[in-house]
Amino acid sequence: MALQFGTTYRNALLDQFETTVGATAVLRIWSGAQPANCGTADSGTKLVEMTLPADWMAAAGSGSKAKSGTWSDAAADASGAIGHFRVYDSTGTTCHMQGSAGLAGDLVTDSALTVVGQTVTVNTFTLTAPGA
């Protein structure tokens, strides 16, 4: 039987995640498959790097938390097919989260491909706490 948690706890868990990562987190979008976990070295070609807004996630509600503000990079670093993303602290050294990215996936962008210098925008991103 799976554990279940109340909505208040699930919201607190999600809000604490943003606090732990910190303000102005760094988002990097890579080509290829994501590494085994956040402790594994980066893989693929870094296509995009952007500093997220100071309050990069909205307050949690009903056990989920959506992106806040505009997540956009005015100049892609490399050309390639978007495969996965990683979120780092403001120094860009500690990976706190990773997942699939592109037109479908955990982080949905406005394009499946990047070209050097192109603007890349994250259209949707939502975290959902476990235990519903």
Side-chain angles (χ1 to χ4, degrees):
M1 178 177 229
L3 295 174
Q4 292 183 320
F5 300 105
T7 303
T8 301
Y9 171 76
R10 294 172 67 229
N11 290 341
L13 179 71
L14 291 169
D15 287 335
Q16 182 58 48
F17 176 75
E18 183 180 11
T19 299
T20 298
V21 175
T24 63
V26 174
L27 170 66
R28 294 183 183 140
I29 299 175
W30 303 82
S31 65
Q34 67 191 37
N37 57 57
C38 278
T40 304
D42 297 333
S43 66
T45 300
K46 183 175 68 168
L47 304 173
V48 175
E49 179 170 329
M50 65 180 80
T51 300
L52 299 177
D55 186 13
W56 52 283
M57 297 291 291
S62 301
S64 67
K65 185 173 184 75
K67 79 175 190 73
S68 179
T70 300
W71 294 16
S72 186
D73 179 39
D77 300 327
S79 298
I82 293 173
H84 69 282
F85 75 94
R86 293 183 124 185
V87 173
Y88 303 79
D89 61 9
S90 63
T91 67
T93 56
T94 302
C95 175
H96 288 278
M97 174 176 45
Q98 66 179 17
S100 61
L103 293 178
D106 301 312
L107 182 131
V108 178
T109 58
D110 61 347
S111 177
L113 304 170
T114 63
V115 176
V116 173
Q118 148 191 1
T119 297
V120 176
T121 301
V122 175
N123 290 337
T124 58
F125 179 70
T126 302
L127 294 175
T128 301

